[in-house]
Amino acid sequence: MKSFVALCVTLAASVAMPAAAGPGPVVSPAVMALHQKLITLDTHLDTPANFSRPGWDFTAGHDGHEDFSQVDLPRMAKGGLDGGFFAIYTAQGPRTPEGIRAAREAALVRAMDIREMVAAHPDRMELAFTADDAARIAAKGKVIVYQSIENSYPLSGDIGLMATFYKFGVRMIGPAHFRNNDWADSSTDPAGLEWHGLSPAGKAFVAEANRLGMILDASHSSDDVLDQMLALSATPIILSHSGCKAVYDHPRNVDDARLKALAAKGGVIQINSYGDYIAKAVASPARDAEMKALMAKVGNRRDLPPAEVAALMKERRAILAKYPGSRPDFDMFAKHLLHALKLVGPEHVGIGLDWDGGGGVIGMEDVTDIPKITAVIKAAGYSDKDLANIWSGNVLRVLKAAEIYAKGAAAKS
């Protein structure tokens, strides 16, 4: 997830355009039937940020062109998404006692938001804690709710909190986000590298995640961090929402050599749909300036009641109408996906679209469009078994490996 103002600028084109069937493949009835049979998991859902929005109901259907949202229970059912990793995201703030304390409180509240949402709808959702839980919950027709931490800034100075969040149900954890922190370097900090990978505390972070049985997530972290995680971790690494540098050379994307190293250690890249990382956007400084001014005027959109959000969207559309731009479409997303599949094989690729955190492209605006992913993979000649691995088997294999290692380590201690 981006900082609020930057995220709103990035989403500008997406909310300006009506939903469209294309580009991308047409989803045939046969492909849709196959898609519905699969256990489908997205490894990076920022949707919990919406759970506390005034007047917003995860169980009701929404139009993202009116309220920014991309995932809710009705749209998950329509798109055939069975669940995924719901993110406990905290923006990087000051690395001070006060900043860390505020971040810790925010992360704990977000974790409670997820648990309370599931507890309020036990007939429709269920928390998942092990790899085996996915099939069991799917068989009940419920949404599978794993939890992850994006940016471990809230844990700064207290690695013991990782065990606390593990007890809450967190099973995937990434050290950094847009900026460097006490654990690791970010791939996008304007200040450049601080630790040249993991800090000394970050190396202990890797060991503790292994001990507990958490998947280590290198998305947003620097290339050096990925290299060091691969060297240090006793279990496979995941990139929960990343892209391929060979398709678009962006710091958030991963080069082919590192993708091969990731796969060689059993890891998985989950392809995202975040426009800034898929292709170079058409620049429009005037549009971005007006959008920034609008967002500064209204404050945090997630705190606004529905009527004010709708009014905000109307103003946004008026600005964007003056500055028609471009953003990546489904076909550009597919280039990243198909490149990864060709390079490392279907045992090492998955889906992490960054919904409600800035993900989405023309032709895949919200979760209802994800059957197109199944269609494009099938059209490329991959088997039903490959699809099962891509949509959930690979990430569950990585989680199972983390569980097995943790049990073995516990038995030895």
Side-chain angles (χ1 to χ4, degrees):
M1 179 179 284
K2 297 193 81 155
S3 66
F4 174 64
V5 171
L7 172 59
C8 290
V9 171
T10 298
L11 284 174
S14 92
V15 298
M17 298 179 181
V26 174
V27 180
S28 69
V31 167
M32 191 64 192
L34 169 61
H35 181 80
Q36 293 288 4
K37 290 179 181 177
L38 301 169
I39 295 177
T40 52
L41 300 176
D42 184 304
T43 51
H44 194 77
L45 299 168
D46 274 310
T47 307
N50 288 331
F51 288 174
S52 59
R53 285 174 61 176
W56 197 88
D57 182 358
F58 182 56
T59 68
H62 300 269
D63 180 351
H65 294 77
E66 296 296 327
D67 71 358
F68 290 90
S69 71
Q70 295 173 301
V71 179
D72 52 46
L73 288 181
R75 281 184 286 180
M76 288 179 74
K78 183 178 180 181
L81 182 66
D82 293 311
F85 285 76
F86 288 72
I88 299 167
Y89 163 75
T90 312
Q92 184 63 44
R95 290 158 68 179
T96 62
E98 295 78 14
I100 293 167
R101 183 166 55 250
R104 187 168 300 161
E105 291 173 359
L108 290 168
V109 168
R110 182 62 50 80
M112 289 301 99
D113 286 344
I114 295 170
R115 295 182 69 90
E116 288 176 2
M117 179 63 68
V118 175
H121 306 284
D123 58 328
R124 303 179 71 178
M125 311 169 66
E126 188 171 332
L127 291 171
F129 303 98
T130 71
D132 293 340
D133 283 344
R136 178 181 59 79
I137 296 170
K140 298 179 183 179
K142 297 182 183 181
V143 168
I144 303 158
V145 181
Y146 288 103
Q147 297 170 74
S148 62
I149 287 178
E150 181 180 32
N151 193 16
S152 292
Y153 165 53
L155 281 62
S156 300
D158 189 356
I159 200 168
L161 279 172
M162 196 184 294
T164 300
F165 280 100
Y166 180 87
K167 291 177 182 176
F168 285 164
V170 171
R171 294 297 182 267
M172 182 187 299
I173 190 164
H177 194 243
F178 280 146
R179 294 183 180 271
N180 306 333
N181 62 21
D182 292 348
W183 305 112
D185 288 335
S186 167
S187 63
T188 53
D189 195 317
L193 302 177
E194 177 179 349
W195 305 104
H196 295 277
L198 295 161
S199 70
K203 293 174 183 177
F205 178 101
V206 170
E208 181 66 357
N210 285 170
R211 185 188 72 81
L212 291 168
M214 285 187 181
I215 301 172
L216 284 159
D217 178 12
S219 279
H220 280 290
S221 295
S222 71
D223 288 345
D224 290 339
V225 171
L226 175 57
D227 293 342
Q228 292 168 23
M229 277 189 176
L230 289 172
L232 293 172
S233 178
T235 63
I237 305 300
I238 203 166
L239 295 165
S240 69
H241 56 305
S242 291
C244 301
K245 194 164 285 189
V247 178
Y248 176 46
D249 189 0
H250 187 283
R252 268 286 280 115
N253 293 334
V254 183
D255 61 70
D256 284 0
R258 287 186 169 89
L259 287 178
K260 289 179 179 178
L262 176 79
K265 291 291 186 76
V268 185
I269 178 172
Q270 306 285 118
I271 303 298
N272 77 2
S273 64
Y274 195 98
D276 283 358
Y277 310 148
I278 291 175
K280 186 172 180 61
V282 174
S284 178
R287 179 199 65 204
D288 293 349
E290 290 193 38
M291 287 296 301
K292 185 175 181 179
L294 173 62
M295 304 325 297
K297 180 179 73 173
V298 301
N300 191 337
R301 64 176 170 81
R302 298 191 193 277
D303 294 335
L304 299 177
E308 292 185 31
V309 173
L312 164 64
M313 296 298 293
K314 184 176 180 180
E315 288 190 61
R316 286 167 58 87
R317 286 192 292 270
I319 293 172
L320 296 169
K322 296 193 301 182
Y323 304 103
S326 64
R327 64 189 177 106
D329 60 19
F330 181 88
D331 293 338
M332 282 303 303
F333 160 80
K335 287 182 180 180
H336 286 263
L337 175 62
L338 295 175
H339 176 80
L341 286 168
K342 183 177 180 180
L343 182 73
V344 296
E347 299 82 10
H348 301 286
V349 179
I351 306 298
L353 298 170
D354 206 359
W355 293 130
D356 290 320
V361 292
I362 296 171
M364 190 169 67
E365 307 286 351
D366 66 15
V367 71
T368 63
D369 284 320
I370 66 169
K372 292 181 179 181
I373 299 174
T374 298
V376 79
I377 295 171
K378 192 68 176 171
Y382 292 94
S383 69
D384 293 359
K385 181 180 178 181
D386 293 335
L387 276 159
N389 283 332
I390 292 162
W391 270 116
S392 61
N394 294 333
V395 65
L396 294 177
R397 169 181 55 78
V398 172
L399 179 55
K400 175 65 78 172
E403 294 168 5
I404 292 171
Y405 178 83
K407 288 178 182 177
K412 294 176 182 178
S413 63

